[in-house]
Amino acid sequence: MNMSAALSGAVSFLTATRFHIRDLSRETSDVALNLITPIFYACIAYFLHVAGGRQQNLADLMIGAGLMGMWSSIMFGAGTVIKAQRYQGTLEFLLGSPKRFSSIIIPITTAASVFGAASMLLTLLWGVVVFDVRVDLAHVPGMTLAALVTTLAMGCFGLLIAALFVQARRAESMASPMIAPLWMLSGILVPVSGLIEPLRPVSRVLPMSWGAEAVRAAATGSPYWFGLASCAATGVVYLLVGSWAINVVARRSRDKGEVNLW
Amino acid sequence: MSAISIQNLRRHFKAKKGSFLHRTTQETHALRGIDLEIQPGSLFGLLGPNGAGKTTTVRILTTLLLPSSGSVRIHGIDVAADPDSVRAHIGYAFGGEKGFYDRLSARDNLLFFADLYQLPMREQPKRVDELLELVNLTERREDRVETYSRGMKQRLHIARSLLHDPSVIFLDEPTNGLDPVAARNIRAAVHQLRDAGKTVLLTTHYMFEAEELCDRLAVIDHGRILVQGTARDLAAAAETGIVARLETRGANASLCDKLTRLPSVVDASLEFLSDRELITVRTSLAAPEEADAIVRKGLESAEETSLLHLSLREPALEDTYVSLVSQGNTGAPE
């Protein structure tokens, strides 16, 4: 791929992502939920802090709670992406365009992921404003970078979720029971070291685990590059696997003529 | 080379039925061997009742569905083997109010789809504005699509189908559910497409629309093409002659059956009005007096029915269509 094609692809991705963010942000009730829900996540983090005798770092807990919100947004957003397109009748126009289906869906899952990132930042903001969480301003750029990479990596992970949920008639019902296990596995609710031994490797293949590590490390001024690089690397793997899966699903739908995608 | 070439196209679907424990699979044959050749620049009408196979055909032509067997080519490119190349040559507009991001404006929507159709970024705004002008939506271009009427949305569908200047356009029931003025605007837009040299395949339930717009037509039913050609060819194939319209009192379905069994009667249908019945009898007769005589003879045996009025007219495409579909009921499963 030459430089010009890569640049054009990047511009196209950003334009499409912006389009879907605008589309998602036009629903007042969704925006209100995205503003209000982080308050509850911030409260959970604070009460855990108090219940634990104020031993744990409150900023760490607040980031963990924010990541929980981010994860929920991604599961519901990416998991129901195909259903939403089908419902509004745009799916067949997306499938019938000359672009690869995966490159059309990635901006949508990334838009959902951006909403998730906003949820995380708002949780932290509520923590700072209401619960007196201390964040060193010098660490904000590192945290922002880590949050950005985590957002993109989770957008890629969302692509795989979207492909897996195509077969589900009620994708949102499947999303709910998957949220809590992944909260635990990715070490955002409890430390990975608290998991039973056989489950620990699972957390290493989730971009959220690495993203959480990177954001937390950046917040305390610790080295975060390894976590960040691992988050990006797992994101790339999910991008490739998710692209393959969603293109297979699209092809299968054309072949079988099944209602799942229509 | 034909713009669209279809040879022995077949498509079947498998549908699961029954409960989880007693699940069975039923195979439905939507298309049973279709052949069509559509020349560049022509406006071709595909007519047929619901479930006849029109939409399945259009979905295969637009690369949204793969054929079970047979060959489908657009400008010589195989739709199954090379869908991406085909997509660059085709545009499509399906009827209905859905298909857009309703919370965003028409212009936003078209810019998004322009990118999907890989128009160069710099050309997109100009092309989008041109098309909004073409479909008379310039004044409302910044309004949310959810505030549009059905007719406006349909015009927006057509604008989207033209974004990448395709040479072949598929319009699936574009005037379905529109008021007469909106439908007339859509038909005017279709005329413009033909004048611009596009190849258009149109599916519709409205016979007058097909008659007004299309150069050639095909009637499809139960997954088979019953007949294709010009409207005159179709009339000849259906042997449609004079149509008698009877206003009666006391008529019932059995009278229609009796009339249908008469020689030279192709079809008879009954419609109940508030204080009378309306019977339409389609014959294969060219002479009005012969049609008049045979219909009156048919009524003689129905003593309980009184004839209030009888009028005769030349057949329209709708009569041809009804005759073809009622004659060509070949829906036995394969």
Side-chain angles (χ1 to χ4, degrees), chain B residues 10 33 66 80 83 87 91 99 111-112 137 146 158 185 194 200-202 229 237 241 243 292 315 327 330:
Chain B
R10 290 170 185 270
L66 286 168
R87 287 166 186 169
L111 284 170
F112 171 71
L137 288 173
E146 66 189 1
I158 290 179
N185 288 337
R194 185 172 59 178
V200 181
L201 189 145
L202 171 87
V243 178
D292 184 281
Q327 287 167 22
T330 52

Side-chain angles (χ1 to χ4, degrees), chain A residues 24 33 43 47 49 58 61 66 71-72 76 83-84 92 120 155 159 162 187 210 228 253:
Chain A
L24 292 171
L33 270 176
C43 289
F47 295 136
H49 176 67
L58 184 55
L61 280 171
W71 183 233
S72 305
F76 280 106
K83 186 180 176 180
E92 52 201 4
M120 186 185 79
L159 187 64
W210 296 108
L228 197 66
S253 165

Side-chain angles (χ1 to χ4, degrees), chain A residues 3-254:
Chain A
M3 199 60 182
S4 143
L7 187 65
S8 163
V11 171
S12 175
F13 166 75
L14 290 173
T15 310
T17 303
R18 181 171 164 266
F19 175 85
H20 290 297
I21 291 170
R22 286 180 62 211
D23 182 46
L24 292 171
S25 63
R26 292 288 171 93
E27 192 63 59
T28 315
S29 57
D30 286 353
V31 173
L33 270 176
N34 270 288
L35 288 172
I36 294 165
T37 313
I39 298 175
F40 298 112
Y41 284 115
C43 289
I44 288 170
Y46 182 73
F47 295 136
L48 279 173
H49 176 67
V50 171
R54 300 175 192 267
Q55 297 293 310
Q56 279 191 285
N57 184 315
L58 184 55
D60 257 16
L61 280 171
M62 212 53 80
I63 290 167
L67 287 165
M68 283 164 61
M70 182 182 192
W71 183 233
S72 305
S73 298
I74 290 164
M75 280 303 283
F76 280 106
T80 58
V81 59
I82 298 290
K83 186 180 176 180
Q85 304 300 317
R86 181 169 48 207
Y87 178 75
Q88 61 195 3
T90 46
L91 185 59
E92 52 201 4
F93 295 99
L94 305 184
L95 276 165
S97 80
K99 255 193 173 179
R100 281 183 81 77
F101 190 52
S102 53
S103 62
I104 297 169
I105 299 299
I106 292 166
I108 311 179
T109 58
T110 306
S113 195
V114 167
F115 266 76
S119 170
M120 186 185 79
L121 293 174
L122 278 170
T123 304
L124 198 57
L125 185 67
W126 281 119
V128 169
V129 172
V130 182
F131 301 115
D132 198 26
V133 171
R134 304 277 166 83
V135 178
D136 192 333
L137 281 178
H139 301 150
V140 169
M143 284 175 67
T144 309
L145 177 65
L148 182 68
V149 171
T150 307
T151 303
L152 291 173
M154 290 310 292
C156 299
F157 187 72
L159 187 64
L160 181 64
I161 298 288
L164 293 175
F165 281 13
V166 166
Q167 302 296 327
R169 282 177 193 271
R170 291 183 60 80
E172 67 277 16
S173 312
M174 282 183 71
S176 296
M178 282 181 72
I179 287 174
L182 286 160
W183 276 348
M184 287 187 278
L185 286 172
S186 55
I188 55 178
L189 187 62
V190 291
V192 175
S193 56
L195 296 175
I196 56 169
E197 190 70 34
L199 287 178
R200 288 182 199 170
V202 180
S203 76
R204 299 291 85 181
V205 297
L206 294 171
M208 179 65 94
S209 311
W210 296 108
E213 263 186 43
V215 176
R216 280 176 173 146
T220 56
S222 309
Y224 59 88
W225 290 106
F226 181 72
L228 197 66
S230 302
C231 179
T234 46
V236 169
V237 171
Y238 282 106
L239 174 67
L240 296 174
V241 175
S243 297
W244 171 80
I246 201 99
N247 288 330
V248 165
V249 163
R251 165 85 193 181
R252 184 184 147 89
S253 165
R254 289 176 62 223

Side-chain angles (χ1 to χ4, degrees), chain B residues 165-202:
Chain B
D165 196 20
S167 55
V168 179
I169 296 161
F170 300 95
L171 302 173
D172 194 11
E173 300 179 9
T175 58
N176 198 12
L178 297 186
D179 66 61
V181 176
R184 195 173 58 186
N185 288 337
I186 296 295
R187 286 197 291 277
V190 177
H191 268 301
Q192 281 181 288
L193 296 179
R194 185 172 59 178
D195 293 345
K198 307 285 184 195
T199 306
V200 181
L201 189 145
L202 171 87

